[in-house]
Amino acid sequence: MIGNLSKVQERLRVYAPAPDKRFNVKSGLSPNEEAVKQKVRQYWADKDIPNVKKLQGLNISLAGFDPRKTSNRQLMEIGVILAERGIIDGDLIGAISSVDVQFDAQGIEINMDAQVDAYAYFEKQLGMLNDFIKEGNEMAKGALVELKTSISIVMALEEYAKTPRQRGLVSIRA
């Protein structure tokens, strides 16, 4: 499997909902790989699973993380950690960390540390994509799935950052 899809597949092996065509992914990958990508997007949209559960195993401090005052670099770093743990696939790293990205003349990302409001950007993108879908643009439907998944992930990260961490060590004092 390409990238981290095998990790994602392993992590979601017990998640077995009926596949929902709304989450179909046309990525040019093998049918098995596309099924994994579809499953992770459906997983993130599943309201029956608490966000904290979706981020189980993350075990990093996100103290102070605020999607309204973040940077693309911070979102990318968090996305890489999520992908390394099999929580998201590699394509979603770019989807959550491309908030008003700017490029120089050589195509290199600039202003990666500039403060951005992820929610304001997502809201603007939702409006644009819905307009494109109304015009019959089929590509916009796939982009909408990615965007909604990104929103779910960022909302879960914000909730995770605000949730007090449980201490993991056991006191063995007598």
Side-chain angles (χ1 to χ4, degrees):
M1 289 212 163
I2 293 179
N4 74 322
L5 289 179
S6 58
K7 282 185 181 179
V8 173
Q9 185 176 31
E10 177 60 26
R11 181 179 177 88
L12 296 180
R13 75 183 180 285
V14 296
Y15 179 66
D20 187 332
K21 292 184 186 277
R22 291 178 299 161
F23 301 100
N24 277 355
V25 179
K26 301 288 187 237
S27 61
L29 298 174
S30 74
N32 186 36
E33 292 165 332
E34 285 189 358
V36 173
K37 292 171 80 64
Q38 175 183 350
K39 191 174 187 178
V40 75
R41 280 142 188 81
Q42 189 169 343
Y43 178 75
W44 277 100
D46 193 332
K47 300 293 184 202
D48 292 333
I49 303 170
N51 285 335
V52 174
K53 175 82 171 155
K54 292 175 186 173
L55 292 171
Q56 189 173 350
L58 184 57
N59 298 329
I60 63 169
S61 174
L62 290 178
F65 174 73
D66 181 356
R68 292 160 199 82
K69 297 176 185 171
T70 188
S71 69
N72 285 314
R73 184 174 315 283
Q74 183 181 35
L75 291 169
M76 184 179 297
E77 289 169 354
I78 293 170
V80 167
I81 293 168
L82 293 174
E84 286 173 350
R85 288 180 170 78
I87 298 171
I88 64 172
D89 63 73
D91 290 345
L92 288 171
I93 297 170
I96 66 171
S97 66
S98 298
V99 178
D100 281 335
V101 174
Q102 297 175 3
F103 299 91
D104 65 13
Q106 289 76 36
I108 298 171
E109 295 176 20
I110 56 173
N111 296 333
M112 290 294 290
D113 295 310
Q115 183 173 303
V116 295
D117 181 337
Y119 291 141
Y121 173 79
F122 292 152
E123 185 177 337
K124 183 173 74 174
Q125 293 300 107
L126 279 172
M128 286 180 15
L129 288 172
N130 283 322
D131 290 344
F132 290 141
I133 290 169
K134 287 177 188 173
E135 295 170 6
N137 185 322
E138 289 297 315
M139 296 295 288
K141 289 180 183 177
L144 185 62
V145 171
E146 292 288 311
L147 182 63
K148 286 183 175 181
T149 304
S150 299
I151 293 168
S152 295
I153 293 166
V154 171
M155 289 172 66
L157 290 168
E158 181 179 27
E159 184 180 330
Y160 179 91
K162 292 178 179 178
T163 303
R165 301 278 58 92
Q166 299 292 327
R167 297 194 76 160
L169 299 177
V170 176
S171 176
I172 57 172
R173 290 187 207 173

